[in-house]
Amino acid sequence: MTTAAAGGADEALPADKQPSGGTSVPAPREPVSGKPSGPQDTGRSRRSVTGTRRVIAALFLLPALVLLGALVVYPIVYSVYRSFFDQAGTGFAGFDNYKALFTDDTIRTAVKNNAIWVVFAPTVATALGLIFAVLTERIRWGTAFKLIVFMPMAISMLAAGIIFRLVYDQAPERGVANAVWVGVHDTFAESAGFPKAHPLPVHPLKAAGGGSFVTKVPVRAGQPVQLPLVGVLPAKMPTDAKPARAPQTGGDGKITGTAWLDFTKGGGGKPNVIDTTELGLKGIKVEAVKDGKVVASATAGADGVFTLPASADGAELRLPASNFKEPYNGVEWLGPSFVTPGIIGSYVWMWAGFAMVLIAAGLAGLPRELLEAARVDGANEWQVFRRITVPMLAPVLAVVLVTLMINVLKVFDLVFIIAPGSSQDDANVLALQLYRSSFGTDADLGIGSAIAVLLLLLVVPVMLFNIRRIRKEGRR
């Protein structure tokens, strides 16, 4: 009571009568209403700070907005405007340029190829990236493998196009793809020995149709048979071929003969005569034919000598077409049939590493206890992968797939560099056709602008899907 009274007495004293010393002066009481003093000043201060921040933000954004308008908005608006005018840009063409996109055969091929690219290239690259990301988690040298697979991303499209132009070269001695393919083929199928070989008019052979050759007269036992040919390239001659020689004849009724290359380096040889420097056609197949049926066959040795049984007496000798067909040179990768899949293969080689790295990052964030719980419950690795890993990676897979879909819509470099001039129309895509229509001596900027607008319309749905997905992820 005394303390309270003293406090009340002190509050009642005037300011100059307050006691000195350590006694603190009490703060003025808040109004009964509970509102802070000076509300108008505080509100004015807050509005001032907010307004200042908006002005500063606008000043910082202004350069970016100017660049965005100059480099993005203006080109889009002008492309739409220009697409309604003719080639010269002076006459209004209406929708004629857009009609040409679906009536011109070259542009329709580009549209079709773009559809193939959008469906297959992102899907294959994402699938390979998923497989690589999952498998590299189980091996010690997974980091080194990821580095090797991702390394093509460091190569420009130009360099990658040059690399794969060489990989797809038709000649097996230069093209890696055909070198491998021909090696596998020749392991299981015998190649022709003497392509483009043929007899001269003075030789005792004549064409029999289908690429084969037969003797002009039937053969008889005891009379050596001569089967000379020309036109065999030195590179195609067997490396172990020996100088040709005349066969030895016997009285056993067998047919003997020699098949040789009737050509002397440097000249001086005589036709139908075995010269000392002329080589035997080792491995050439000889058939004895009577009444259209093969009664015997033989293969020439290293010196070109062959022997047929007595049943060949009186038959015509035939060199079948299998001796002369062109050797297998692999697949025409850059021909009309395979040029688009071949270029897509080069794209997958570059971008599978990109998909693998993003998917591996998402895979590292998966809760391992779920995977272990599924294994404890009896699920095998395939079931864990299909029912747990893939569904939980769905957001990451969507990011990779959408990114690659946008990327393939503007692919240009690979097609322009890899596809040769003879196959460029078959490999054509919209971005390449945009370049071809907009530049050069026969440029039509109206068609080029229409193609640019079409590409924009194709990208917009993918972008909207991506924006919706990002917003949905942000709400979680």
Side-chain angles (χ1 to χ4, degrees), residues 240-321:
D240 55 348
K242 297 180 180 179
R245 65 177 181 85
Q248 296 180 353
T249 58
D252 52 3
K254 293 182 178 181
I255 303 295
T256 58
T258 304
W260 82 98
L261 178 61
D262 193 14
F263 173 78
T264 302
K265 291 183 179 180
K270 296 181 179 179
N272 293 328
V273 176
I274 300 175
D275 298 307
T276 56
T277 59
E278 294 174 348
L279 300 176
L281 298 176
K282 179 187 177 182
I284 196 168
K285 187 176 181 181
V286 182
E287 296 175 342
V289 182
K290 287 183 179 180
D291 300 327
K293 296 181 180 179
V294 178
V295 296
S297 63
T299 301
D303 54 3
V305 175
F306 62 90
T307 303
L308 291 168
S311 59
D313 187 21
E316 293 180 333
L317 297 191
R318 180 175 67 186
L319 300 178

Side-chain angles (χ1 to χ4, degrees), residues 144-166:
F145 180 83
K146 289 179 182 178
L147 178 63
I148 294 172
V149 175
F150 188 75
M151 194 176 295
M153 285 294 299
I155 303 175
S156 67
M157 287 281 195
L158 173 65
I162 294 172
I163 290 171
F164 274 86
R165 182 68 181 265
L166 297 175

Side-chain angles (χ1 to χ4, degrees), residues 54-397:
R54 288 178 179 173
V55 171
I56 293 175
L59 290 176
F60 275 104
L61 287 175
L62 185 60
L65 293 175
V66 171
L67 288 176
L68 185 67
L71 300 179
V72 178
V73 177
Y74 172 74
I76 291 175
V77 173
Y78 183 75
S79 296
V80 175
Y81 168 79
R82 185 64 179 82
S83 67
F84 291 103
F85 286 82
D86 59 10
Q87 181 176 4
T90 55
F92 185 75
F95 288 94
D96 291 345
N97 292 327
Y98 291 96
K99 292 178 182 177
L101 300 183
F102 302 98
T103 56
D104 184 88
D105 291 337
T106 303
I107 301 178
R108 282 196 301 177
T109 301
V111 174
K112 180 192 72 175
N113 287 337
N114 256 105
I116 295 173
W117 272 88
V118 169
V119 171
F120 290 100
T123 305
V124 175
T126 304
L128 284 178
L130 176 62
I131 294 171
F132 291 157
V134 172
L135 294 182
T136 50
E137 279 201 333
R138 301 176 176 272
I139 55 178
R140 290 183 180 178
W141 40 274
T143 303
F145 180 83
K146 289 179 182 178
L147 178 63
I148 294 172
V149 175
F150 188 75
M151 194 176 295
M153 285 294 299
I155 303 175
S156 67
M157 287 281 195
L158 173 65
I162 294 172
I163 290 171
F164 274 86
R165 182 68 181 265
L166 297 175
V167 168
Y168 291 137
D169 195 294
Q170 181 66 30
E173 61 270 17
R174 292 194 302 269
V176 176
N178 271 341
V180 175
W181 195 260
V182 170
V184 173
H185 174 273
D186 290 350
T187 302
F188 301 97
E190 185 179 357
S191 296
F194 308 100
K196 297 182 179 180
H198 60 279
L200 292 174
V202 296
H203 287 160
L205 289 167
K206 63 179 181 180
S212 62
F213 301 98
V214 298
T215 54
K216 296 178 180 178
V217 296
V219 297
R220 297 297 176 184
Q223 298 178 358
V225 182
Q226 293 182 335
L227 301 178
L229 292 173
V230 295
V232 181
L233 297 174
K236 297 298 182 181
M237 285 295 294
T239 56
D240 55 348
K242 297 180 180 179
R245 65 177 181 85
Q248 296 180 353
T249 58
D252 52 3
K254 293 182 178 181
I255 303 295
T256 58
T258 304
W260 82 98
L261 178 61
D262 193 14
F263 173 78
T264 302
K265 291 183 179 180
K270 296 181 179 179
N272 293 328
V273 176
I274 300 175
D275 298 307
T276 56
T277 59
E278 294 174 348
L279 300 176
L281 298 176
K282 179 187 177 182
I284 196 168
K285 187 176 181 181
V286 182
E287 296 175 342
V289 182
K290 287 183 179 180
D291 300 327
K293 296 181 180 179
V294 178
V295 296
S297 63
T299 301
D303 54 3
V305 175
F306 62 90
T307 303
L308 291 168
S311 59
D313 187 21
E316 293 180 333
L317 297 191
R318 180 175 67 186
L319 300 178
S322 59
N323 291 312
F324 313 111
K325 68 180 181 179
E326 291 289 338
Y328 183 69
N329 286 323
V331 178
E332 190 181 1
W333 298 106
L334 300 182
S337 301
F338 293 100
V339 62
T340 296
I343 300 173
I344 290 176
S346 66
Y347 178 88
V348 171
W349 175 76
M350 288 192 67
W351 288 88
F354 167 82
M356 177 195 65
V357 170
L358 290 188
I359 295 172
L363 194 62
L366 292 184
R368 301 296 169 176
E369 58 271 13
L370 293 179
L371 304 179
E372 295 301 327
R375 294 187 181 100
V376 170
D377 289 341
N380 56 37
E381 292 301 322
W382 169 246
Q383 290 173 328
V384 172
F385 173 76
R386 184 167 58 91
R387 296 181 179 275
I388 298 178
T389 304
V390 173
M392 295 188 70
L393 284 175
V396 179
L397 296 176

